[in-house]
Amino acid sequence: MITDSWRKQLIATNKIFDNLSDEELMQEVSPGRNRGIYLLGHLTAVHDLMLPLLRFEEAKYPELKPVFIDSPDKAVEAIPSAVQLRQQWKEVNETLSNHIKNLPADDWFTRHANISEEDFIKEPHRNRLNVLLDRTIHLSNHRGQLLLLKKKI
Amino acid sequence: MITDSWRKQLIATNKIFDNLSDEELMQEVSPGRNRGIYLLGHLTAVHDLMLPLLRFEEAKYPELKPVFIDSPDKAVEAIPSAVQLRQQWKEVNETLSNHIKNLPADDWFTRHANISEEDFIKEPHRNRLNVLLDRTIHLSNHRGQLLLLKKKI
């Protein structure tokens, strides 16, 4: 159910990004708030870091973290282009989706990378499935904001 | 994990509502979009309908549905006051939380009210837990928008 819910949120978010022009991505979701391009970079950076967090593989674009996670929008002058971020977003999610599809059910209940084996015995809910649930909610949170960028007909 | 995630989203959303004045609730989350008060009514209506959907009890405020689910914002002239909606929101979630807390783990994997027993045999993922997961994501989606109402310091 959770992997299905992740997949659905991703499809819905991609639909929004696909319908937004690069120009529209440069708009703020609300006056004074994050721009669409920042949210694209932020989500790409967060999903990229899920690769090591879920113990799948190393992050592909760790250079996104200081710009799109550690810094707020407009704090960093030079950010990657929309074209480049769209490409990275696609690539990160494809890699992630392949791992997710192939992970045996039982393995979802094993620890994620940010908890030691000893602590995990005491806190078994800090497992990989919980990371996916948390990131599904994170994605949905920002998807609600991205929706505001779409021009009303 | 899912009930925990529901609870956390609810706490985070309440924190936003508590920090918004009734006046701020009348603002749109972005120009031309839903007002805070509409989202409060919408979430109250959706959570209220979870009571029968999860087979807990009847909806408390079914009159909210035509205004806050079937109609978009500003389509209905006379809507309940912020004071009244805040009260209903609190009440609905308290009732819901009590049921959620008391439902035995196995019962989460039984059917929700919108699927027949026959169909449920074929589609066992259409269970009560999946409703809760779906509504957690729904809540988070709108929470991301409500965040935009908070004045930047």
Side-chain angles (χ1 to χ4, degrees), chain B residues 6 9-10 13-14 17 39-54 56-61 64 69 88-97 100 131-132 134-140 142:
Chain B
W6 161 262
Q9 283 306 305
L10 207 50
T13 309
N14 280 332
F17 281 134
L39 290 177
L40 172 59
H42 175 69
L43 288 170
T44 306
V46 168
H47 289 196
D48 190 37
L49 288 172
M50 287 171 71
L51 290 171
L53 186 55
L54 289 170
F56 290 150
E57 59 179 86
E58 285 191 5
K60 286 174 179 295
Y61 306 109
L64 296 177
I69 298 183
Q88 293 176 330
W89 166 250
K90 217 183 127 193
E91 211 180 305
V92 162
N93 286 317
E94 272 172 11
T95 308
L96 205 46
S97 295
I100 288 172
V131 168
L132 192 66
D134 185 81
R135 295 307 186 270
T136 303
I137 289 171
H138 175 258
L139 175 58
S140 135
H142 289 304

Side-chain angles (χ1 to χ4, degrees), chain A residues 45-95:
Chain A
V46 169
H47 289 195
D48 190 36
L49 288 172
M50 288 172 70
L51 290 171
L53 185 56
L54 289 170
R55 301 196 279 122
F56 290 150
E57 60 178 82
E58 284 190 8
K60 286 174 179 293
Y61 307 109
E63 68 276 13
L64 297 177
K65 181 172 179 286
V67 183
F68 293 108
I69 298 183
D70 303 338
S71 314
D73 191 16
K74 295 151 217 163
V76 178
E77 197 96 10
I79 62 167
S81 68
V83 176
Q84 187 183 326
L85 285 174
R86 283 181 196 271
Q87 180 53 38
Q88 293 177 331
W89 165 250
K90 215 182 129 196
E91 210 179 306
V92 163
N93 286 316
E94 272 172 12
T95 308

Side-chain angles (χ1 to χ4, degrees), chain A residues 1-2 4-6 8-9 28-34 109 124-125 127 129-130 133 136-145 147-152, chain B residues 1-2 4-6 8-9 28-34 109 124-125 127 129-130 133 136-145 147-152:
Chain A
M1 290 187 319
I2 295 178
D4 207 48
S5 161
W6 161 262
K8 277 185 200 153
Q9 282 306 306
E28 296 169 334
V29 296
S30 186
R33 303 302 176 129
N34 290 333
F109 297 95
H125 64 280
N127 54 42
L129 192 57
N130 214 13
L133 174 58
T136 303
I137 289 171
H138 175 260
L139 175 58
S140 136
N141 198 300
H142 289 304
R143 187 174 74 81
Q145 299 172 335
L147 269 176
L148 305 173
L149 286 173
K150 268 183 161 171
K151 281 216 185 67
K152 280 207 158 183
Chain B
M1 289 187 321
I2 294 177
D4 207 49
S5 162
W6 161 262
K8 276 186 199 152
Q9 283 306 305
E28 295 169 333
V29 298
S30 185
R33 302 304 175 129
N34 290 332
F109 296 95
H125 64 281
N127 55 41
L129 192 58
N130 214 14
L133 174 58
T136 303
I137 289 171
H138 175 258
L139 175 58
S140 135
N141 198 299
H142 289 304
R143 187 173 75 80
Q145 299 172 334
L147 268 176
L148 305 173
L149 286 173
K150 269 184 160 171
K151 281 215 184 66
K152 280 206 156 181

Side-chain angles (χ1 to χ4, degrees), chain B residues 22-41:
Chain B
D22 291 354
E23 210 171 50
E24 284 170 319
L25 268 188
M26 300 310 288
Q27 315 271 313
E28 295 169 333
V29 298
S30 185
R33 302 304 175 129
N34 290 332
R35 290 171 300 170
I37 193 165
Y38 178 82
L39 290 177
L40 172 59

Side-chain angles (χ1 to χ4, degrees), chain A residues 5-63:
Chain A
S5 161
W6 161 262
R7 210 175 42 82
K8 277 185 200 153
Q9 282 306 306
L10 206 52
I11 290 172
T13 309
N14 280 333
K15 216 172 126 188
I16 301 179
F17 281 135
D18 289 350
N19 279 328
L20 289 171
S21 65
D22 291 354
E23 209 171 49
E24 284 171 318
L25 267 187
M26 299 311 286
Q27 314 271 312
E28 296 169 334
V29 296
S30 186
R33 303 302 176 129
N34 290 333
R35 289 171 299 169
I37 193 166
Y38 178 81
L39 290 177
L40 172 60
H42 175 69
L43 288 170
T44 307
V46 169
H47 289 195
D48 190 36
L49 288 172
M50 288 172 70
L51 290 171
L53 185 56
L54 289 170
R55 301 196 279 122
F56 290 150
E57 60 178 82
E58 284 190 8
K60 286 174 179 293
Y61 307 109
E63 68 276 13

